[in-house]
Amino acid sequence: MIVVKRGKEPNSLLEFRKQNPEADYEDTPSNVLYDIREQMWREQGHLCGYCMKRISSPDVERIEHCIPRHPKGEMVHDKQATLNYKWMLGVCYGNSMKRGAKPEEMTCDAHRRNTELTINPFDETSIRKIKYKADGRIYSEDPEINKDATETLNLNCEAVSLPQTRKNVLTEAKKRIAKKCEGKTQDAYMQELRRTYVSLAHERNLIPYCGIIISWLENKLKIL
C-alpha cells in the first residue's frame, strides 16, 4: 500500500449532492459513479488502493468506502458520509469474479466487506506502518494495522500470488538500479536511490506493487 492522494471531487458528484441533499450512495446515477471511478483511477495511477495491482480501466474498478457505509451491519447510517469523495477508494475486484472463488482466495474490498479498518490509506503516518518481509509478505508492527493488512484485506493471499509478485517487483527494481550504477561510486548509487524514490513517492510515477519498492528505498535512505 502507498498513500493515496485524493483530489477535488468530480463536478458531477458535487452537483448531485447539491440537487439531492437527502440522497444516499445507492441513489447515485451511473454517470456520476463512472466519473468517480475515472477520477480515482487517474489519481491512483491505475492501481488498486489496497493490493496495488494494475486496474486496466475505470470500467473494472470498484468504489470502496474506507469508512463502511453500514458498519457492523447497521441499516441506519449517515447518508451524506456515503457520498463523501475523500473517503472513497478505487480498488480491484479482489479475485471475487473468479468462478468458485472461496473467501480465503479473495482480497481487498471483496474480502473486507463491512469490517472497520484502523489503517488510513490517505494518511502518510498510517501507511508508513506497513512493512514488507524478504519473501514479499506484508505486515505491520502495529497489531491493528497488521490485522487490517493480513486478515481483513488478505493482502498476503497466495491464491493470487501477492507475496511472490511483490518480491519479484522489488528484485527487478534492485537489478535495474544496480545495472544503472554498475562501475559507479557509492555516491552515484545513493543518488539513483534518491531519484527513484522521488519519482515514485513524490512525482507519483507509480508502477504496480511499488509500495514494496518505496518501503525498501525508505529503509536504504533512512527516511523515517
Side-chain angles (χ1 to χ4, degrees):
M1 296 176 69
I2 62 169
V3 181
V4 173
K5 307 284 188 180
R6 187 57 72 238
K8 183 181 178 181
E9 67 181 323
N11 289 332
S12 60
L13 175 59
L14 176 61
E15 289 302 315
F16 173 69
R17 284 207 325 274
K18 285 182 177 179
Q19 295 172 15
N20 303 274
E22 297 299 319
D24 199 339
Y25 176 78
E26 281 80 1
D27 304 317
T28 312
S30 58
N31 66 301
V32 177
L33 293 175
Y34 184 82
D35 289 346
I36 294 171
R37 292 198 305 271
E38 183 178 43
Q39 183 163 321
M40 291 193 302
W41 186 69
R42 286 188 282 104
E43 289 175 353
Q44 295 173 204
H46 310 169
L47 305 181
C48 172
Y50 289 140
C51 73
M52 300 200 68
K53 71 174 287 185
R54 183 172 295 283
I55 298 176
S56 60
S57 79
D59 297 302
V60 290
E61 180 180 60
R62 290 177 64 159
I63 299 173
E64 154 78 326
H65 288 73
C66 293
I67 299 177
R69 286 182 285 146
H70 301 286
K72 301 177 183 177
E74 298 170 5
M75 296 310 296
V76 178
H77 61 286
D78 184 348
K79 291 183 178 181
Q80 292 185 345
T82 69
L83 291 170
N84 190 334
Y85 182 66
K86 76 175 184 178
W87 290 113
M88 295 181 188
L89 191 68
V91 300
C92 68
Y93 275 82
N95 204 37
S96 62
M97 301 302 287
K98 179 184 176 182
R99 187 173 182 178
K102 300 175 183 178
E104 62 269 23
E105 297 173 334
M106 298 180 191
T107 69
C108 307
D109 176 46
H111 192 271
R112 175 202 176 190
R113 300 188 182 277
N114 281 328
T115 304
E116 296 188 55
L117 296 173
T118 297
I119 195 165
N120 181 349
F122 308 102
D123 179 68
E124 185 172 355
T125 301
S126 184
I127 293 298
R128 282 276 181 85
K129 293 180 181 179
I130 289 288
K131 301 179 185 297
Y132 300 87
K133 296 182 179 180
D135 64 358
R137 299 181 72 81
I138 196 170
Y139 76 100
S140 176
E141 294 171 353
D142 181 308
E144 292 302 318
I145 290 180
N146 187 65
K147 183 178 180 180
D148 288 343
T150 63
E151 297 181 30
T152 304
L153 297 172
N154 198 24
L155 296 183
N156 287 327
C157 182
E158 297 286 356
V160 289
S161 305
L162 285 179
Q164 186 62 50
T165 300
R166 291 192 203 102
K167 181 180 178 180
N168 293 345
V169 165
L170 179 58
T171 297
E172 288 303 311
K174 289 179 177 179
K175 286 181 179 178
R176 183 195 62 79
I177 292 171
K179 184 176 182 180
K180 190 169 184 178
C181 297
E182 188 175 0
K184 296 183 180 179
T185 64
Q186 178 67 14
D187 285 344
Y189 174 71
M190 296 303 293
Q191 185 176 351
E192 180 60 22
L193 293 183
R194 285 189 287 271
R195 188 203 65 77
T196 303
Y197 179 74
V198 168
S199 178
L200 290 171
H202 297 295
E203 296 174 356
R204 311 294 287 182
N205 296 314
L206 306 177
I207 62 173
Y209 309 101
C210 61
I212 192 170
I213 303 175
I214 292 174
S215 180
W216 174 72
L217 289 168
E218 288 177 341
N219 184 56
K220 297 289 287 185
L221 296 170
K222 302 189 186 314
I223 297 173
L224 303 176

